[in-house]
Amino acid sequence: MKLVLEDGTTMTGRCFGAPRAVSGEVVFNTGMTGYVETLTDPSYRGQILTITYPLVGSYGVPAPRRAGSVDGPYEADRIQVQGLVVQSYVERYSHHAAVRSLGAWLASEGIPAITGIDTRTLTRRLREVGTMKGWLFPAEMDLERVKRSAEAVDMREEVFRLVSPREPITYEGGPLKVLLIDAGAKDNIVRSLLRRGVTVIRAPYHAPIAELAESADGILIGNGPGDPKDLGQLVTALRGLLGTYTKPIFGICLGNQILALAAGGDTFKLPYGHRGVNQPVQDLLSRRCYVTSQNHGYAVKHESLPAEWEPWFVNINDGTNEGIRSRLRPFFSVQFHPEATPGPEDASYLFDDFLRLCGAMKGSSDSRLKTAGAAAVDLRSTPTAGRS
Ligand SMILES: NC(=O)CC[C@H](N)C(=O)O
């Protein structure tokens, strides 16, 4: 197999997945474990993933999930990456839950993978030049032919259609109801809500959101692939809703970007993104730091936020935005993944805060809580296990 980057960098290795030609944006993730979760995360749709940790495959892959379920550790029904790049693939796995090798899983889903690559050199290149387009293909194929014929995902609106459900799906979990806007949401967002006794209406990003939101106690905008600016239809729908909606809105990753755009803010592309399980962020209100799981290539411009909004979290490595919140209303979002999978669960308290707010606003006879301003204040002053 060969990996060629758009700056001409060429690397040769061995195939351990499907021997096929693909192209996509080449990105790297620094997590040491969690390849099953990472490979099935729809935010990676269309991208060729490099894992910087050198040994990959040693714990194999567990049994496939039950059909129609959202069982972990899978984050979706299929592998989402275009291709996989590792330094040393381990075929002989050992783990009590494993039933197949990583290579067998990749091959069964038609995903090409390459081993024997100096991923440290590759990552340094991507850090210097920035994320680049690349081609992964069997070594005997001619590059010019590959460039013409390699399978690629149309990264504009098409990519969101590939990863969102066709119709709204309801998961019964309890009396509180959350509308999850899905443009590629990870299944663990659904599991995180169900675990907390919540009914989830999982709706595609192009569904009539305002209508569906009426019967829900809050809205969660999930993660997803691509560039948030290609989701103009959702941004416009949400902008309309922000004018009248009084219940809580929480965004995760792509959801942070969408909320910022709907509020009138702007996003930009990071040179090589944040992908890993040890990204440090700081809550600007409490000054408390958290280690978080992240997978994003775009970020919100702090300075673009209109007066009602304020930066909530920042990334301690590069100072970029990691969350925003309305100063007046119960609308807030984070750029990292509180549901983790893989990664640290430091930030899972955010689900509890969001749901407590949904519950308080639904059940309270206190009319002050029904006004959005009071609810936003309530969120700020609520002590939680995660913050104590
Ligand atoms: N994990 C996500 O939701 C990623 C959001 C967006 N696709 C980005 O790369 O920034």
Side-chain angles (χ1 to χ4, degrees), residues 92-167:
R92 284 191 55 187
Y93 59 86
S94 171
H95 189 276
H96 66 93
V99 300
R100 51 190 166 158
S101 70
L102 174 58
W105 182 39
L106 288 158
S108 74
E109 300 215 4
I111 309 295
I114 187 170
T115 176
I117 294 299
D118 180 351
T119 50
R120 181 180 291 245
T121 299
L122 172 60
T123 301
R124 292 175 92 146
R125 191 98 201 107
L126 295 174
R127 285 183 56 132
E128 283 156 14
V129 182
T131 312
M132 279 184 272
K133 184 175 175 177
W135 294 267
L136 183 60
F137 55 97
E140 63 277 11
M141 280 178 79
D142 167 61
L143 179 61
E144 288 315 309
R145 215 190 98 210
V146 168
K147 285 189 175 175
R148 284 195 306 273
S149 63
E151 188 215 90
V153 173
D154 176 351
M155 291 305 288
R156 282 155 307 172
E157 214 210 318
E158 183 55 29
V159 72
F160 300 105
R161 297 219 167 252
L162 292 176
V163 291
S164 62
R166 280 203 199 101
E167 300 280 318

Side-chain angles (χ1 to χ4, degrees), residues 231-253:
L231 272 175
Q233 186 191 343
L234 174 59
V235 170
T236 308
L238 197 63
R239 188 172 296 146
L241 200 62
L242 288 184
T244 53
Y245 202 64
T246 54
K247 295 176 208 171
I249 300 180
F250 179 33
I252 294 176
C253 208

Side-chain angles (χ1 to χ4, degrees), residues 43 223-226 228 252-254 257 275 295-298 335 337:
S43 297
N223 63 288
I252 294 176
C253 208
L254 180 74
Q257 301 161 356
R275 294 178 185 84
N295 162 22
H296 63 108
Y298 295 84
Q335 190 58 57
H337 285 270

Side-chain angles (χ1 to χ4, degrees), residues 11 32 57-58 60 93 96 98 108 143 149 154 169 173 197 207 249 255 274 291 329 368:
M11 297 176 133
M32 288 163 64
S58 55
Y93 59 86
H96 66 93
S108 74
L143 179 61
S149 63
D154 176 351
I169 308 165
I249 300 180
H274 301 154
V291 177
R329 301 182 287 168
R368 283 172 310 156

